[in-house]
Amino acid sequence: MRETEAVARARRDIEICNACRYCEGFCAVFPAIELRREFSAGDVGYLANLCHNCRGCYYACQYAPPHEWGVNVPAALAEVRAESYAEYAWPRPLAAAFARNGTLLSLAAALGIAMMLVCSIPADRLFAARGTFYDIIPLWAMQAVGVATFGFALLALAMGARAFWRDAGARGRIGPVAVGMALWDVLTLKNLGGGGNGCNDNSEAFSMRRRWLHHAMFYGFLLCFAATTTGFVYHALLDWPAPYPLLSAPVLLGTGGGLMMIAGCTGLLAMKFVDDPVPNVRRLLGGEVALLMLLALIGVTGLVLLAVRATGAMGLALAVHLGFILAFFVVLPYSKMVHGVYRPAALLRRAMERKMKPLGGE
């Protein structure tokens, strides 16, 4: 992690926090701060990705604006977190393009891929009212493009995770206890509960709304992934090509997951426009909106495909749905979705610290 103005500003704020310690029980960040007396750029990057942006510390802080010190830990760490996404992105030039035009780039990629698919399919197949998905788009073509885009995304994420882990200063062996602790924090989203009462979305009032919406989005995404995996098993091992009956496992998993993703993303998107702007960084809103819109549209187009799969619109709906999925793979390593890699890594780093030096309440 490079030394930047945002890193220096965040370091100044957390050094004040380290002297005050009023917020030490709020989340995982403050106990991690208290283990340190000096903060390298890598330490600040690690703390920024450990932060879940619950904002409880902002509303509790006696030095927050309009105090002359202007301590604003959520905004300061959000700036560093965004810089870390670009810093660790591989290859880096693509991250810069997404940071400037996140929403436009995501939607353009999705629509562009969908149009390429539509134009490449003969009209008699595109608007056929019967048959399987593979009668419209050959299985080999789906597999080739899917493996290429998803494989590239995984490679880029792995390269970024390696760089992040190195800068986070992790030492020692990663044991099963630390992995279990981190996995529990990830699956329960414990740190979106602040000090236990929830997040402060736009005032000093506590709410579990963000936590439940994140749960809906996260577990909806996992259900959709499970649906895809089940469909692969059906096709590869049972020789049963899609589309599947309404009461089959892939359809039930995908429908439930799609509805949860739409609900979670729509709720979080609505919250973006009513949140208190002071503990936020408004210039980062474009990339956050892009990710939520893309995930929601994947869910919407999947449900539309389910609804029209027995009609002549199936081919068009399939092309559009695949366009959004493939666009998601393309922009995945350069969007806010990378927090799904760096945040668990930060939680694992924190779990290793907790295991080595337990703190009260930890």
Side-chain angles (χ1 to χ4, degrees), residues 133-294:
F133 291 162
Y134 312 129
D135 293 329
I136 300 170
I137 301 177
L139 177 61
W140 66 265
M142 288 192 192
Q143 291 176 332
V145 178
V147 168
T149 54
F150 189 51
F152 172 77
L154 290 179
L155 174 62
L157 290 173
M159 296 291 287
R162 184 182 68 170
F164 172 80
W165 191 253
R166 179 192 61 225
D167 281 1
R171 298 289 185 272
R173 186 174 64 88
I174 301 174
V177 174
V179 171
M181 293 166 68
L183 187 61
W184 176 256
D185 289 345
V186 170
L187 295 178
T188 61
L189 296 175
K190 182 183 75 173
N191 290 287
L192 272 176
N197 298 312
C199 296
N200 298 93
D201 302 324
N202 51 23
S203 70
E204 296 180 1
F206 292 97
S207 169
M208 286 290 184
R209 180 171 43 186
R210 287 183 70 233
R211 186 177 187 180
W212 301 137
L213 290 171
H214 272 90
H215 271 300
M217 181 179 66
F218 176 54
Y219 283 104
F221 182 85
L222 291 183
L223 285 176
C224 289
F225 184 78
T228 303
T229 303
T230 306
F232 172 78
V233 172
Y234 277 15
H235 180 86
L237 301 183
L238 303 179
D239 194 25
W240 188 2
Y244 301 109
L246 291 176
L247 295 181
S248 64
V251 173
L252 292 175
L253 290 170
T255 302
L259 291 172
M260 289 174 66
M261 278 178 56
I262 293 169
C265 292
T266 303
L268 290 170
L269 188 59
M271 290 181 65
K272 295 291 180 187
F273 298 99
V274 297
D275 285 351
D276 184 346
V278 180
N280 285 301
V281 183
R282 303 304 288 180
R283 70 175 183 82
L284 303 178
L285 188 61
E288 296 175 356
V289 168
L291 175 62
L292 292 172
M293 288 180 62
L294 193 54

